[in-house]
Amino acid sequence: MILAIESSCDETAVAIIHRDQGAPRLLTSLISSQIDIHRQYGGVVPEVASRNHALRIRPLVEQALADANVTLEQITTFAATNGPGLASSLLVGLSYSKGLAAASNKPFYAINHMEGHLLSPFLDEGQVPPHLALIVSGGHTLLIDVQGFNNYNVVGRTIDDAAGEAFDKVGRMLHLPYPGGPEIEKLAHSGNPDAFDFPRAHIQDAPLNFSFSGLKTAVLYQLQKLSTPKKHLPDLCASFQAAVIDTLVKKSLKAAQQTDHKTITLSGGVACNRTLQNALRTSAQGTGIEIKTTPNHLTTDNAAMIAFAALLSSENRPPDPLNTPIDPNLKVT
Ligand code: KG4
Ligand code: ZN
């Protein structure tokens, strides 16, 4: 019975997972989002995020235990995200989880947030088969050759902005509410993806790497040229989104072929984008490659994915010491 805490950015989250044998059972997964608070600043303010994690963590843990109908004594293992993320946010969840583990003399696992996203498509099955993973979040864009749990090889990454970051920055340019991703997707529905010819970056010598900062600048220049930008909002959103999706889809298929994988998984916050999911499925048709998306409630930040990563960790390696530090720049491999 594992209780996991996620607090790497602006979502305080707690989940409880359990496995006797067979597939894991997720007993509860609660998310207390601070998006409404940070929206007024146009992005996450670390100090505000940290203070709100500290206010929310205890009632959320108590609510999770009540929802799952388990007592604190029945929890056998504690876990929390230790990176990557905002230092002052990570500290709250990690310290709280360590405190619970120390007080009850139970094992503790420090979990990499990106490994949480990476494993999230397989939470229902409870096992991780070989596949090619595309993780697209607010801070990362990664293509990973996954041979199994804890056997990862990064084959592509962004050299500047992450895909979600590009959505959020373009959203801000267009004066859309934070976060820009879901707003851009909504507006893009009524726009023409061919209205503006935005660049698809090709990176010489590292064709599986991504770059989105030139695209962001191209949107800015286009915006400055338009006398009535508001009128063109749907077209700008649709054309920008098409450029991001085109690149993500082409490189994912290429990576799957190069690594000889027959499954591509899609995870991270940007994975809730339906247009991206559909484009990936359409492009994979006839290639023999299956696309496995993450259920919507597991795409943006949550503790269920951290609990699942902790469950697999507890089945595969010894616990972590209680002096395991946060690592805001923690890497997958
Ligand atoms: O995984 P996540 O919740 O947090 C990080 O670990 O970064 O991802 C958040 C990112 C934000 O950049 C947000 O704009 C993006 O996911 N996002 C979307 C959509 N929903 C969330 N991007 C594009 N389309 C969406 N529907
Ligand atoms: Zn995330």
Side-chain angles (χ1 to χ4, degrees), residues 162-221:
E165 189 179 359
F167 269 100
D168 295 340
K169 286 180 175 170
V170 167
R172 202 187 299 192
M173 263 183 230
L174 301 176
H175 303 291
L176 302 176
Y178 172 84
E183 303 291 330
I184 289 178
E185 183 180 18
K186 253 185 265 162
L187 279 163
H189 283 309
S190 53
N192 173 7
D194 299 318
F196 301 102
D197 187 18
F198 290 136
R200 277 79 167 145
H202 173 77
I203 292 133
Q204 210 82 47
D205 304 330
L208 295 181
N209 279 350
F210 300 93
S211 165
F212 294 111
S213 76
L215 169 61
K216 183 187 64 189
T217 313
V219 176
L220 180 66
Y221 286 165

Side-chain angles (χ1 to χ4, degrees), residues 6 8-11 35 84 113-114 117 135-140 162-169 178-186 240-241 244 267-276 296 298-302 305:
E6 153 63 36
S8 65
C9 190
D10 59 347
E11 263 100 24
I35 282 187
H113 180 86
M114 299 317 292
H117 278 305
I135 314 180
V136 268
S137 71
H140 296 79
E165 189 179 359
F167 269 100
D168 295 340
K169 286 180 175 170
Y178 172 84
E183 303 291 330
I184 289 178
E185 183 180 18
K186 253 185 265 162
F240 160 76
Q241 180 176 264
V244 175
S267 64
V270 184
C272 13
N273 189 297
R274 294 257 165 200
T275 322
L276 168 61
N296 250 354
L298 296 176
T299 48
T300 47
D301 288 349
N302 64 84
M305 66 184 195

